[in-house]
Every structure is written in C-alpha cells, then in structure tokens.
Amino acid sequence: IPARDVAASFEVGDELWVLQKSGQCSVFDLETHALREGPKLAVDEELTGFRTMTATGDVLTSVDLSRVVRWSRSDGKRLSARDLPENECAWFDGTSVLLLPTESLGHEGFDIVSMDPATGDTKRVVRFNRDAKRFPLGNEPKGWVRFGRVGTQPTLTIWAGEGLTVAEDFAFDLASGEVGRELPRARDADGKFLAEPDF
C-alpha cells in the first residue's frame, strides 16, 4: 500500500483504512486487495503525530493525549471534538475514552476515569490503591505509572522504587482495580500474532 504522511491505520471489518495527515482516507480490502478512496475527514489543520483510530458503526473516533475527535465514516463530517484533561495515557474502548488523569495521581494511587466522547461527561471507573510492599515508594509521585492496553487488555506500566528502575507491564482489571500478572513487553496483539503496519 503506497502511502505518504500517514497519521493512522486501523481495521474496519475486512478493510484496512489508512488516514493521511490531510484527513484523506484510503481503504484497502484485505480479501480482494482492491484499493479505493475513502472519505476526507473534516480537519482544522494537518493531523500531527501518529494517532489511535477506532471505527464503531458509522463513527470514527480519534484519541491522542490531549483530544478526542469523532467523524462520520460515510462522509467525513466532524461530529464532536473534546479536549482531555492532562493524563498518563488515554484510549477509546468502543464506548468511552478511558484515561488516568494526572491530577489524581500520587504516591498512594490514582483514578481511572471514563469520558463520553459525544457529551464530555466523565465518571470515575475505579480507584487503584498502591501496595507499597509490592511497588515500593520512590521519589516520584507523578511519574511512576502509565495506563495503557495491549489489544483490549488494560495495562499498567510501573516504575517502582528509588532512582532508575526497569519498567514492568501488568494486566489491570478495570472492575476491581487489581493488578494482575506481569505481561511481556510487546506491540498490540491480534490473536496469537503481533503486527505492525509498514507503508
């Protein structure tokens, strides 16, 4: 798939969508290998950086650390745009944006918050209370953890203790706020495969 200035790529059923920084989408059918032009998303300016895009029904949702934007998949019209509070990672789960607000983060733990991208309404999903025996307190109350995901599995990346330590990734349960097993460091998983697009 020849493409330049790629801002994102994402799958919609059996199609691979490639979003260029200009907002133009190209759609590649993974079964027939046919390439067609998709909608041009209404963007205020050229998209910067590589962003996460998700298709849910007729809505395309883009999330980066500072903003969530929604477009119509059929005609590219912008449906909503909302700024996110300062956070340690944010991602869209298909319904809402899940994020770890920096203001809630301290030595003792943090909140995971969900935001409705259409209305901007927020609510606390779970509170994580840090076990200081398992994750010793260091000298950095704000920089010891990052929220993320591998595929659909929520994760925490933790740098615990004094000074420079090795980051460890853990499965994280959004229902209970409990840290699960340690995970290998890897890119997004698709079943038993790991994949990375290369244009």
Side-chain angles (χ1 to χ4, degrees), residues 21-23 29 45 52 56 63 95 99 112 114 118 128 131 154 160 174:
K21 292 179 181 178
S22 65
D29 189 305
E45 55 189 29
T52 302
T56 311
V63 178
T95 305
L99 57 103
I112 296 295
S114 71
F128 173 78
D131 178 350
L174 289 174

Side-chain angles (χ1 to χ4, degrees), residues 17-46:
W17 284 51
V18 178
L19 172 64
Q20 294 177 329
K21 292 179 181 178
S22 65
Q24 180 63 54
C25 292
S26 299
V27 182
F28 181 74
D29 189 305
L30 297 171
E31 293 295 322
T32 66
H33 297 184
L35 182 64
R36 66 180 170 83
E37 189 173 274
K40 182 171 173 54
L41 305 186
V43 295
D44 295 333
E45 55 189 29
E46 187 174 88

Side-chain angles (χ1 to χ4, degrees), residues 10-13 15 17 25 27 36 38-42 53-62 69-80 92 94:
F10 53 100
E11 290 184 38
V12 182
E15 297 176 333
W17 284 51
C25 292
V27 182
R36 66 180 170 83
K40 182 171 173 54
L41 305 186
M53 296 284 293
T54 307
T56 311
D58 187 48
V59 178
L60 297 176
T61 304
S62 164
V69 184
R70 298 165 63 243
W71 293 275
S72 165
R73 184 159 58 109
S74 55
D75 62 11
K77 179 181 176 182
R78 190 164 79 173
L79 304 175
S80 65
F92 184 64

Side-chain angles (χ1 to χ4, degrees), residues 44-116:
D44 295 333
E45 55 189 29
E46 187 174 88
L47 300 171
T48 58
F50 197 80
R51 59 195 50 241
T52 302
M53 296 284 293
T54 307
T56 311
D58 187 48
V59 178
L60 297 176
T61 304
S62 164
V63 178
D64 60 28
L65 283 177
S66 62
R67 202 153 197 222
V68 55
V69 184
R70 298 165 63 243
W71 293 275
S72 165
R73 184 159 58 109
S74 55
D75 62 11
K77 179 181 176 182
R78 190 164 79 173
L79 304 175
S80 65
R82 306 210 176 276
D83 291 332
L84 298 175
E86 184 180 343
N87 64 82
E88 298 296 322
C89 193
W91 49 275
F92 184 64
D93 69 358
T95 305
S96 59
V97 178
L98 296 170
L99 57 103
L100 190 170
T102 304
E103 70 176 16
S104 81
L105 180 55
H107 274 309
E108 69 288 344
F110 55 82
D111 295 330
I112 296 295
V113 173
S114 71
M115 172 191 273
D116 184 321

